[in-house]
Amino acid sequence: MKSDRLLSILLLLQTRGRVPARELADRLEVSVRTVYRDIEALSAAGVPVYAERGRHGGIELLPGFRTDVTGLTADESRALFVLAAQGVHAALGLDAALGSALRKVMAALPAPHRPAAEVTSRRVLVDATRWRGGPRQAVDLDTLRDAVFTDRRLKLRYRHSGQSEDRTYTVDPYGLVAKAGVWYLVADRCGKPRLFRADRVRSATVLDAPARRRPGVELADAWEVLRRQIEERPGGLEVTVRVRRDRLGMFQRIAAGSLAGPPDDDGTGEWVTARLSYGIVREARQLLAFSDNVEVVSPPEVRAELAEAAAVTRLYAGKAAPEGDGASDADGSGVVGPVIPRSSAGGPG
């Protein structure tokens, strides 16, 4: 609706200052001509807004003009209280600020919408962490956060997955991303986007030099490029497996990121055929977690890789734990099962 669009333009100008007409058009998904018509409508309504043409031009409010906008709809009021998990704000040191901000928003809401917003805050909870993610290394985001908020370069001492030596990088940060409970730093290194897991940063130093970001590139843009590189990376190794039907749902949830397509399920039989795609043979060890509910049909090298688990089983079968080492079986049965390696939780090395 035009009224909503006019309000959006007013809020953008109030928070951003001068904004190019093309940027307003892109954000509002309208034409530049429509934006100029909306500016004329705002001006006719008494809003001191003006436009300057040229390379460095844009649309701007007169200095000092402010307006308090409280005309939120019911759905907008609810949306403000369905926020990310509290752990995200706590990691950035913003949990107290979030609570204070929501109290102020509640006080400013139109009276008819306050009950709905309050109920939403009690009835909807967002937990961004994965099930059984296991213990994670403590992450110190303070230095990364300072560099991101002050637009400064960072010097990192970083250890990649599977490596024993740290490496040193000087990077230009765009921002921080929390994905499935894991924090990532999105930054340019030598003018190219890179992704760094925060829990692999051994030390970080904020430099005096300002961040040298590529013109016109925002955090969302850099993240989209990196996300696509990871998710669309060619697998190269196709693995055919058969899955017990009564475990198919669990298999699809856990192996969703590796599935090459929907399983071949005709609705009959005990077993269902599925195909997965991996980058290297070792990645197929993920299938060990399914025990005998999943069997690899091909290729032979993957079957051989998983067969190594049999050696581990023989190591423990029929043996009690040595006395005095603190080890014990979980259920008191005296049987210790095979050690099953777990795939790491998401993200590049």
Side-chain angles (χ1 to χ4, degrees):
M1 295 176 61
K2 182 176 181 179
S3 59
D4 290 337
R5 195 169 65 243
L6 294 177
L7 180 57
S8 297
I9 291 175
L10 181 58
L11 292 175
L12 283 169
L13 296 178
Q14 186 168 289
T15 56
R16 293 279 308 279
R18 179 175 296 183
V19 182
R22 168 53 60 187
E23 181 177 341
L24 284 175
D26 291 341
R27 282 177 172 267
L28 300 173
E29 299 181 348
V30 296
S31 66
V32 174
R33 179 176 298 180
T34 298
V35 167
Y36 281 120
R37 284 202 297 264
D38 290 343
I39 295 305
E40 292 177 0
L42 285 172
S43 180
V47 177
V49 60
Y50 64 96
E52 287 189 2
R53 299 185 182 275
R55 181 179 179 183
H56 301 291
I59 299 169
E60 189 173 1
L61 295 169
L62 284 178
F65 176 79
R66 305 290 297 178
T67 181
D68 293 327
V69 180
T70 58
L72 295 172
T73 67
D75 285 343
E76 289 169 341
S77 303
R78 291 190 183 96
L80 290 174
F81 287 84
V82 182
L83 300 175
Q86 293 182 357
V88 174
H89 298 89
L92 296 174
L94 298 174
D95 50 343
L98 173 64
S100 176
L102 290 179
R103 286 192 294 272
K104 292 177 180 178
V105 170
M106 181 68 77
L109 285 177
H113 300 335
R114 291 176 191 169
E118 185 177 356
V119 168
T120 299
S121 66
R122 299 201 315 265
R123 297 291 183 266
V124 179
L125 174 65
V126 180
D127 187 346
T129 58
R130 297 178 60 179
W131 289 110
R132 299 184 179 182
R136 296 184 185 275
Q137 181 174 331
V139 179
D140 183 3
L141 291 176
D142 290 347
T143 305
L144 303 182
R145 179 196 61 196
D146 291 344
V148 166
F149 289 169
T150 59
D151 295 326
R152 298 289 179 179
R153 305 192 90 189
L154 266 172
K155 185 176 183 180
L156 302 178
R157 189 163 59 86
Y158 188 81
R159 181 171 299 181
H160 292 275
S161 175
Q163 297 187 5
S164 58
E165 299 293 331
D166 298 340
R167 301 187 67 177
T168 301
Y169 301 106
T170 298
V171 300
D172 300 291
Y174 285 93
L176 294 165
V177 175
K179 182 174 178 61
V182 180
W183 281 99
Y184 295 93
L185 172 71
V186 177
D188 273 357
R189 178 174 177 266
C190 300
K192 296 183 179 180
R194 293 286 300 275
L195 201 58
F196 300 90
R197 274 185 62 145
D199 57 2
R200 293 180 185 153
V201 175
R202 295 299 182 259
S203 67
T205 304
V206 181
L207 305 179
D208 292 333
R212 304 170 186 173
R213 304 187 185 101
R214 285 165 288 145
V217 178
E218 298 291 339
L219 171 61
D221 304 319
W223 170 254
E224 180 64 16
V225 170
L226 293 166
R227 185 190 65 79
R228 286 181 177 273
Q229 289 177 356
I230 295 170
E231 294 185 353
E232 298 177 4
R233 184 167 48 196
L237 177 67
E238 183 172 295
V239 177
T240 301
V241 300
R242 60 177 196 155
V243 186
R244 291 189 190 275
R245 180 176 301 281
D246 58 357
R247 293 292 184 268
L248 182 59
M250 177 188 69
F251 171 78
Q252 289 181 286
R253 290 194 300 272
I254 297 177
S258 302
L259 284 172
D264 299 335
D265 186 7
D266 60 3
T268 63
E270 181 184 356
W271 297 89
V272 177
T273 301
R275 291 171 179 80
L276 304 103
S277 181
Y278 294 108
I280 57 176
V281 171
R282 189 177 181 85
E283 290 180 1
R285 291 193 175 191
Q286 173 197 45
L287 300 174
L288 291 171
F290 300 101
S291 185
D292 60 352
N293 294 305
V294 173
E295 179 187 1
V296 173
V297 177
S298 66
E301 57 267 31
V302 174
R303 289 182 62 90
E305 179 75 16
L306 301 190
E308 292 184 4
V312 179
T313 303
R314 288 194 298 270
L315 175 65
Y316 290 101
K319 290 185 178 181
E323 294 183 2
D325 66 352
S328 64
D329 54 279
D331 59 3
S333 63
V335 177
V336 181
V339 176
I340 298 177
R342 299 182 62 175
S343 58
S344 59

